[in-house]
Amino acid sequence: MAASPRLTPRVQRRAALAASGWVALAATALPGGSPLRWIPVLAFVVLAPGLALLLPQPLGLRPGARLEALALAAPVSLSVATLVATTLFLTKAFSLTVFLAVLALFVTVAATLPGVPLPAATRGAVERDSARTSARTAGGTSPLAARFRKRRPGGGR
Amino acid sequence: MQQDRLPTTPVTGGDGVPPQPSAEDREAAEREDAERQAADREAAVRAATQPAAAARDTGTAPAPRDNGTAPAPRDTGTAPAPRDNGTAPAPRDTGTAPAPRPRSGPLAALRTPAAANLAPLVLAAALWLWALPQIDFRSIEEFGLLDRFPVGFYAALAVLTGGFVLTLRRAGTAPLWPATYCAAMLVALKAPPAILYDTVRYAWASKHDAIISRLLTEGTVHPGRELSGGMSAYDQWPGFFSLDAALVRAFGVDAAASFINWAPVALGMLTVPVLILVYRTFSDDWRLVWTGVWIFQLANWVGQDYLSPQGFSYLLYLTVFAVVVRHFVLPGSAGPLRDRSALDPAAAAVPPPTTTRQRAVAVLFLVPVILTINASHQLTPVMLCASLFALCLTRRYRNIGLLVTTGLIMLVWNLTMGRELFLETLGTLREKAGDLLGNSRPGFAGDPTGPGPELVGSANILMVLALGGLAAAAVLLRRRLARSALPLILAAAAPLPMFAVNDYGGEMIFRVYLFGLPGAAFFAAAALVPAVGAASRAAAVARRTAAVALPVTLVALLAGFLPSYYGKEGMHYAPPGETALTRRAFDRAPEGALILAATGAFADSYYRYDHYERWFFTEQEVDENLRMLKDPAGYLAGGIPAGRPAYVILTPTQGEAVIGEGYLPVGGFDTLKDALKRSPLFEVVEESRDGLVLRYRPTT
C-alpha cells in the first residue's frame, strides 16, 4: 500500500483519536437517546483517553503490550472521565459541553504526545525494531537501531 | 530422546538485568521455534502415544509413556509437542488446519476447527434467542427466575459450557475462540434482565439511580450536609456518580435508569481483559487463563456487578493490581522464578524487573486510577492498600513508594471529602474491632426463609466451598505454580483481616469473597487444568481425570451460579405498577415527611431521598421484629416523632425481601399489612396488587 509518508497508519490513528472527542461533542447535538449520539459518546469516554495515553508509542506496540493497552484503556479512560466530571461537579461548573470539551482537549493533546512508557510497551518495540533492522542490514547498524539499542531491554536496574 | 530443557541458570544474569524479554516477549520466538519443530515432535508424540488419540479429542494432552524418554515439552508450558493440547503453537492456529484428507466443499468446511468452534456458539445463540422471550419474569414466585427460565435457556448455557471446553484444546493458538465463548457466556448469563425488564433491576441500583438524579438536579454535592440514612456518604464519595451523571447528560437520556440494567454486562466486558492481563502475568498456559476467567465469571455471584461504586472500583482495583504485578518487579528479586526447571510448566516467568524511574512513571500513570477509586468508594481503597501491603511482604514487589502514595491519597480523601463518615467509622471501630463472628455475618439479622432463599443460601455455601476446595487443592498440589503466582494468593488473602475490623453493614463477607475471587478462580482453574508439560504417570492420570472433571465442575459451578444470582429475583424485579405506586406515595407526602417501609430493598425506596426521612422498620434483630408483630401499629406509632407527617409503603417486593432475608417469619408480612389496615392509627391511601400505602393518623 502506498500510504503517504505523512499519513502513515500511526498518524492516522492519532488523528482519529484526536478527532474522536470533537466528533462525540458534535454528536451531542443529536436528539437525546439516539444511537447515533450515545454510541460515539460512549466509545469516546470509555476508550479514547486511555488509548491516547497508551497507544502512541514511537515504534508501535508488540502483541503482549497491545493486549495490555486494550485492557487498560477502558479503566484508565473511565478514571480520567470520572476525575473530570467530579472536579466539574465539585466546582459547580458541570455542563455537558465543558465535560466533553475538556476530555476532547485532553485526548487531542495526549494523542500528539508520545504514549506513557510502560515497560511492556517500550521493551517489545525496541527489540522488534532492533531485530528487524539487524535482519535488514545483516548485522549493520542503522542510526535508528543504534539509538534504540542503547536502551537495554527491560530497562536495566 | 533427551529432555529439551533450557539452561537452569536464571535468565536474569548476575546483575538482575534481564537479557531476555518478558514471557510474552518470548512467545513469538518460542512460537517460531516450536513451529519449526512441531512436525518432528508431533510425529514423535504420535508414535509414543498412539492410544492417546481419543484422549486428545477430549481436550487432554497425550501422555508420554516414559518420563525419561518422552518428547517432553520445551519446559515453557507453551510449547509442548502435541498440537491439540491447547497451548502448543501449531500452524493450525488460523483455524485453517490441514485436513487429514484433502477435501473440498461444505463437508470439509464443516470439519475445520473453526466450524467445530462455531457450531456450539451458533446453536447456543439460537437456543438463547428462542428462550429469551419465554422467560416469564412477570410471574416470579419462590424460586426467582430459576423456574421461569425455559429449558432452552439452560440448554444454551450447557452448550456454551461444552463449546468453551472444546475451544480450550486450541486455546494457545486460537485464544479468540475461548474469548468469544467467555463474552457469550457473560451476555447469556447477565443480559436477560437488561433486555427484558421494564424497570430497574435491584433495589440498590435504583438507589444509585436516585443519587445520580439528585446530583444532576443539584449540580453539585454537599459533603458536609447531614442526610438521613447515611445518604450523605454518597456526597462524600461522588466520583462514580459524577461519571454516571455526565453520561446521562451525554447520552441525552432522562436518568441512569435507561442504561442501568446493562451495567453487569458492561462491567464484565471491561473486567475480563484486565483479569486476563493479571492471569497472563502468572501463566503462559492459555487454557489455564481462560478457565480462570470462566470460573471467575461463574463465581462472581455476589451481586456487586450492578451500576455501583464498588463494581466500578473493583475494575479499577484489578487495573492497579495488573499494572503492579507486571511493572513493579524489583531488580534481582526473581531468584529461581525465571529458571524454567524450577517453574510449574504452566507458569510464566516473573516479568522483567523495572528501574526506579520506570516504576515512578508507572506510579504516576496509576495515580488517576487510585484517585478515582478513592473518589468513588470507601472500602475499595482499604482493600487496595491491604493488597499492596501484602505484596510488599514479597521481595519481588516490595514497592513502599506505591503503598505510601496509595495510603496518602486515601488518607487525604478521608480527612477532607470523606471526613464525616471516616471519623464516625473510626468511632465505631472500638465496638466492632475483634468481633470476628459478628463482622463476618451476612446481612443484618435472621436466616433466609422459604424454599427459594434457602436454596440460594445453600448454593452460596456450596459455591464458596467448591471454589475454596479447588483453589486450596491447587495451591497444595502445584506448589511451584503457587510460588510463582504468590502475589495472587497474597492479594486473595489480604482482605481477610477486614473481618477483624468492621462488618460493613453485613456486607463484609461478600466483599472479602469478591476481592479474594481473582486468586481463587485462578487456582481453581489450576486444579482443573493440569500442566501439559509434566510427563510422570501421575501427571497423565491427572490429565485424564481433568478431562472429565473440568466440564463437570464448570457445569456444577454454573448450577451454583444460577440460584445464587437469580434465585431471589422476586426481590430484584418490581413491575412498573409497583414503582409507579411508590413514586406516587413519595410525591403525595409533604416535604420532610417520614416514610416507613418494611425494608429498603425495594425499587425507588430512595426516590428523592433528600426530601424525606426513611425508616425501614424490620431491618433490625429478629427478636425485636417478633415483638413488633404483636402490635405493628402501636410499635410503628411509637417510633414516629410527634407532629411528623408519616406514610407507610408496603409493596410485594418488600414482602419477598423481608421473608427472603429472614427479617420476618413466613406470613409475617401479611400479618403486618392486615394489622396496619385494621388499625385506627393508619388510614389506607392507596391499595392495589402493586402495594399498599397508608397515612399515619395520630389519635390526638
Side-chain angles (χ1 to χ4, degrees), chain B residues 487-512:
Chain B
L488 269 178
I489 302 177
L490 288 174
L496 285 175
M498 297 297 157
F499 282 139
V501 181
N502 197 286
D503 66 352
Y504 206 61
E507 285 270 306
M508 189 59 93
I509 189 166
F510 300 117
R511 305 303 168 88
V512 167

Side-chain angles (χ1 to χ4, degrees), chain B residues 248-265:
Chain B
V248 168
R249 282 282 179 269
F251 295 168
V253 291
D254 294 334
S258 57
F259 56 82
I260 209 162
N261 286 350
W262 283 100
V265 178

Side-chain angles (χ1 to χ4, degrees), chain A residues 33 37 62 68 89 155 157, chain B residues 25 220 249-251 326-327 355:
Chain A
R37 172 173 173 157
R62 65 184 175 75
E68 181 172 85
F89 275 112
R157 284 180 184 276
Chain B
D25 285 326
T220 188
R249 282 282 179 269
F251 295 168
R326 288 169 68 82
H327 298 301
T355 61

Side-chain angles (χ1 to χ4, degrees), chain B residues 51-275:
Chain B
R56 224 180 58 186
D57 288 342
T58 58
T60 54
R65 283 186 306 204
D66 183 319
N67 62 6
T69 58
R74 236 182 54 149
D75 79 6
T76 60
T78 57
R83 287 199 304 206
D84 286 354
N85 61 17
T87 56
R92 278 192 208 174
D93 58 353
T94 55
T96 53
R101 282 186 298 273
R103 284 188 187 190
S104 59
L107 251 181
L110 280 174
R111 291 186 181 183
T112 60
N117 287 333
L118 187 62
L121 196 63
V122 172
L123 176 63
L127 284 167
W128 190 80
L129 287 172
W130 174 66
L132 194 64
Q134 300 177 49
I135 298 175
D136 191 9
F137 64 96
R138 291 184 196 280
S139 62
I140 295 171
E141 287 178 8
E142 55 196 5
F143 287 103
L145 278 181
L146 293 181
D147 54 355
R148 302 294 147 198
F149 285 135
V151 177
F153 181 79
Y154 290 106
L157 299 180
V159 171
L160 274 180
T161 307
F164 170 74
V165 174
L166 287 178
T167 63
L168 283 182
R169 292 193 304 168
R170 293 183 182 82
T173 52
L176 278 183
W177 278 112
T180 310
Y181 274 87
C182 277
M185 192 58 158
L186 177 69
V187 171
L189 283 177
K190 295 187 175 174
I195 295 170
L196 297 173
Y197 287 11
D198 38 16
T199 53
V200 174
R201 175 184 188 256
Y202 208 48
W204 308 120
S206 116
K207 177 179 175 178
H208 294 161
D209 180 31
I211 294 163
I212 296 161
S213 295
R214 172 172 175 259
L215 180 55
L216 283 168
T217 310
E218 297 271 313
T220 188
V221 290
H222 310 283
R225 188 186 291 177
E226 181 83 17
L227 287 170
S228 74
M231 294 304 285
S232 44
Y234 296 97
D235 275 15
Q236 294 157 15
W237 277 269
F240 175 69
F241 301 110
S242 302
L243 172 69
D244 290 312
L247 288 180
V248 168
R249 282 282 179 269
F251 295 168
V253 291
D254 294 334
S258 57
F259 56 82
I260 209 162
N261 286 350
W262 283 100
V265 178
L267 278 174
M269 288 287 182
L270 299 181
T271 302
V272 164
V274 183
L275 200 61

Side-chain angles (χ1 to χ4, degrees), chain A residues 1-101:
Chain A
M1 291 288 285
S4 151
R6 289 186 182 179
L7 274 176
T8 59
R10 197 162 297 129
V11 174
Q12 286 171 9
R13 269 203 298 276
R14 286 182 179 217
L17 266 177
S20 62
W22 307 108
V23 171
L25 185 57
T28 57
L30 293 168
S34 150
L36 285 176
R37 172 173 173 157
W38 69 259
I39 291 173
V41 168
L42 182 66
F44 167 72
V45 174
V46 172
L47 291 173
L51 288 178
L53 281 175
L54 291 163
L55 268 195
Q57 297 294 339
L59 295 165
L61 293 172
R62 65 184 175 75
R66 216 174 294 152
L67 170 67
E68 181 172 85
L70 285 177
L72 298 184
V76 171
S77 299
L78 290 172
S79 297
V80 173
T82 303
L83 292 180
V84 172
T86 309
T87 310
L88 290 175
F89 275 112
L90 282 177
T91 54
K92 299 184 185 177
F94 180 83
S95 82
L96 173 59
T97 314
V98 176
F99 170 69
L100 281 179

